[in-house]
Amino acid sequence: MSYKTYRTHKEMSHSLLRGLLITLTIGPCFMASARDPFRVSANEQIRLGQQVAAQIRRQFHTLPPTDPRVQVLRRIGHRILSTFPDSETWQYSFDVLDDKEVNAFALPGGPTFFFTGLLNKLKTEDEIAGIMGHELTHVRQQHWAKLYSEMQKRQLFMTAALIFLRVNYTGAQLVDLANNLLDLKYSRNDEAAADQGGFDNCSNAGYNPQGLADAFAMLDKLPGHEPEFLSDHPSDNKRINHIEDDIKRSGKSYPVQRPLPWATPAP
């Protein structure tokens, strides 16, 4: 996601991000799917997610289960999980990290984290549910495993091509730029899928999907926004419009959004 909220893997602290990159790339010896020799298996995704989650809990102050923010987050998370098929294989968990960063993310296999910096800016349970549904879609559709597989394939292909063509350093830089552009398009596709999943998951659990649009509207007002063509996510305005169009097309009557107990009422 991740953010601000949806700039998930780019806005963690630099030291944590370096540790995650090491763990996610060279740490484990993955068991690949029989259909895709580069694809990380579901069991390995779960194991990896648990390992990285343990690192995160050691680095950040994790709020205790008695904290109202943790209780609300877990109640919403489990309510969404109750709408998933009984055959779900992932090991979900929901924790709150006490940090001013405006962020939320889900790791491969199911561990999900919200920062207090984000929760303090949200106004309703429905906003949390929309973001939660978005992040859980990344887990269920195995976006990280797919990205890892595609990255490995491109690295293998480009290494072979560079050796065969004897590309010089400048040429290699151009190849690296091309890879980044491929990642840009791919990430936007997954983010669009996660937005749709956020809409479906929160509405299926009885929340108002307008909450997801409202969360994006709040994020859009935060400083530091990049132009869409420089970002690996669709613009907030496009995401908001798409969600609100889906609400209209559904023809459903959604419940009034539930205010969060710690949220400051609008003036």
Side-chain angles (χ1 to χ4, degrees):
M1 201 250 147
S2 320
Y3 286 25
K4 321 229 188 111
T5 305
Y6 55 77
R7 292 183 185 173
T8 300
H9 305 294
K10 290 188 175 180
E11 297 194 0
M12 297 179 191
S13 66
H14 292 305
S15 59
L16 175 59
L17 181 55
R18 284 197 297 270
L20 288 176
L21 289 176
I22 292 172
T23 305
L24 294 174
T25 54
I26 65 175
C29 296
F30 296 127
M31 294 176 59
S33 165
R35 290 177 294 179
D36 183 347
F38 295 92
R39 188 67 172 264
V40 182
S41 71
N43 286 339
E44 287 294 337
Q45 290 177 61
I46 292 172
R47 183 172 69 86
L48 176 61
Q50 296 295 325
Q51 290 176 349
V52 177
Q55 295 178 23
I56 292 169
R57 295 185 184 105
R58 286 194 295 268
Q59 177 145 352
F60 288 93
H61 173 58
T62 305
L63 296 185
T66 54
D67 190 286
R69 290 163 292 187
V70 177
Q71 294 176 346
V72 169
L73 186 73
R74 290 181 177 176
R75 174 167 53 79
I76 293 172
H78 289 296
R79 182 168 173 173
I80 292 175
L81 292 185
S82 70
T83 68
F84 292 170
D86 293 339
S87 59
E88 283 281 343
T89 60
W90 310 113
Q91 295 182 12
Y92 298 101
S93 59
F94 305 100
D95 289 295
V96 177
L97 304 176
D98 190 9
D99 189 275
K100 64 182 180 181
E101 187 159 6
V102 183
N103 200 357
F105 60 95
L107 296 171
T112 304
F113 295 87
F114 276 60
F115 286 85
T116 54
L118 172 62
L119 291 177
N120 291 340
K121 291 184 177 297
L122 299 178
K123 301 297 184 183
T124 68
E125 292 188 11
D126 307 78
E127 292 174 346
I128 294 178
I131 296 171
M132 179 78 73
H134 173 107
E135 295 302 332
L136 296 184
T137 300
H138 284 309
V139 176
R140 302 180 75 202
Q141 296 190 10
Q142 305 183 56
H143 287 162
W144 177 83
K146 184 168 65 173
L147 178 62
Y148 180 87
S149 171
E150 294 300 320
M151 180 183 70
Q152 294 300 305
K153 292 173 186 176
R154 283 199 298 273
Q155 286 181 349
L156 180 63
F157 175 78
M158 289 300 177
T159 299
L162 290 174
I163 294 172
F164 179 76
L165 297 174
R166 298 181 182 178
V167 178
N168 60 25
Y169 183 71
T170 302
Q173 287 178 315
L174 293 175
V175 170
D176 185 62
L177 177 59
N179 277 334
N180 288 335
L181 291 175
L182 288 172
D183 287 339
L184 182 70
K185 178 175 174 53
Y186 176 84
S187 182
R188 286 184 177 183
N189 290 339
D190 280 351
E191 286 300 321
D195 285 351
Q196 186 61 53
F199 180 98
D200 294 337
N201 290 335
C202 73
S203 58
N204 290 342
Y207 293 99
N208 190 332
Q210 180 63 43
L212 181 57
D214 291 347
F216 285 143
M218 178 274 292
L219 294 166
D220 189 49
K221 297 176 182 177
L222 297 180
H225 249 42
E226 294 177 330
E228 182 179 358
F229 67 92
L230 294 178
S231 173
D232 57 357
H233 300 83
S235 70
D236 289 333
N237 284 336
K238 285 187 177 180
R239 304 173 95 164
I240 294 168
N241 291 338
H242 184 76
I243 293 165
E244 292 182 339
D245 286 345
D246 281 351
I247 291 174
K248 293 177 183 177
R249 282 193 294 266
S250 73
K252 297 180 180 178
S253 177
Y254 294 101
V256 176
Q257 294 194 53
R258 305 163 179 80
L260 290 167
W262 61 81
T264 303

